[in-house]
Amino acid sequence: HYYITNNFESDMHKMLTLIMMVAVLGTQTRGCSIEEEIMRIAITETVRSELKTQMEIDAVRTEMLEMKREVAWYSLHVAASAACRGSTETGGHGPHGNVVLPKENTVSCDDQCGKTEFSICDADVAIQGSFGKATSYLEKVGQFYNYGCATPGNTNVDFDEVKGDQDGIFNLDVNTDRPHSQYYRFCCCRFP
């Protein structure tokens, strides 16, 4: 503790000495009083410190938004996996794990699954959920569709995760007054 205090006092003394030297130099070159120069330096340092603090706060906010975005997308993907599991007649079967692909808005899931080794489509699901904890057993907490595998279904580009905005995930709340609900769509694909 003594070393830290001593070190801090020494650093503080060096800083005050430097400020005084700059203040004296400033008074000689600007022709102002020492008090005025000290005030100018203090204001400059305060502004510099405030700007640095604001930049740090902005960086933390950006990092928090990215973390919220990642958790939201992860939650949606887990929900899509569950929707696929529940949408298939056999619950998904075969010797391999089944996969969920983000649905391209202009292509059928038959075609999209067919481009992978998981070439059999079991379902095309569109899902959304509400934010926050339910407070009633009659509260709508999610919505879903199964468009079937053979057609592109609803071709609204807003339902396409890959083409959509990265913050579109925050527009999925079913309990809003928007004129239409936003879903994200997924192909449920199985290995033959």
Side-chain angles (χ1 to χ4, degrees):
H1 177 70
Y2 173 76
Y3 173 76
I4 292 172
T5 304
N6 235 6
N7 208 10
F8 175 74
E9 289 171 0
S10 174
D11 289 345
M12 187 61 100
H13 184 270
K14 287 178 189 174
M15 189 165 99
L16 288 174
T17 302
L18 182 62
I19 289 174
M20 289 303 293
M21 287 173 52
V22 170
V24 169
L25 197 65
T27 59
Q28 292 174 351
T29 58
R30 288 191 180 86
C32 59
S33 72
I34 262 190
E35 291 83 13
E36 291 170 333
E37 189 62 20
I38 289 173
M39 181 60 76
R40 186 191 68 74
I41 291 169
I43 290 171
T44 301
E45 288 305 311
T46 300
V47 168
R48 193 173 286 145
S49 175
E50 288 292 322
L51 288 173
K52 181 181 177 195
T53 301
Q54 186 59 50
M55 288 171 50
E56 290 170 352
I57 289 170
D58 290 346
V60 167
R61 282 187 178 139
T62 300
E63 187 176 323
M64 286 177 58
L65 175 61
E66 183 59 30
M67 288 170 40
K68 286 168 64 176
R69 189 182 292 128
E70 291 296 320
V71 168
W73 284 113
Y74 171 77
S75 299
L76 181 67
H77 296 152
V78 169
S81 295
C84 284
R85 170 64 175 84
S87 292
T88 59
E89 189 175 320
T90 60
H93 65 280
H96 296 80
N98 303 299
V99 298
V100 178
L101 302 176
K103 166 79 172 64
E104 186 174 350
N105 66 308
T106 57
V107 177
S108 73
C109 281
D110 273 343
D111 291 340
Q112 197 166 335
C113 293
K115 293 177 184 175
T116 73
E117 64 181 318
F118 301 92
S119 58
I120 297 177
C121 174
D122 283 331
D124 167 351
V125 296
I127 58 172
Q128 73 171 171
S130 64
F131 292 108
K133 181 183 176 300
T135 57
S136 161
Y137 293 107
L138 303 177
E139 183 178 337
K140 183 171 57 172
V141 296
Q143 296 183 138
F144 65 94
Y145 286 110
N146 183 346
Y147 286 99
C149 295
T151 69
N154 187 332
T155 59
N156 185 337
V157 73
D158 288 340
F159 296 6
D160 185 321
E161 176 181 343
V162 174
K163 294 177 185 173
D165 181 82
Q166 67 178 348
D167 287 331
I169 187 70
F170 299 123
N171 298 330
L172 294 180
D173 196 344
V174 300
N175 296 311
T176 64
D177 295 329
R178 286 193 318 266
H180 67 83
S181 299
Q182 180 167 336
Y183 291 81
Y184 279 105
R185 294 182 56 198
F186 300 91
C187 295
C188 308
C189 306
R190 180 170 38 90
F191 194 87

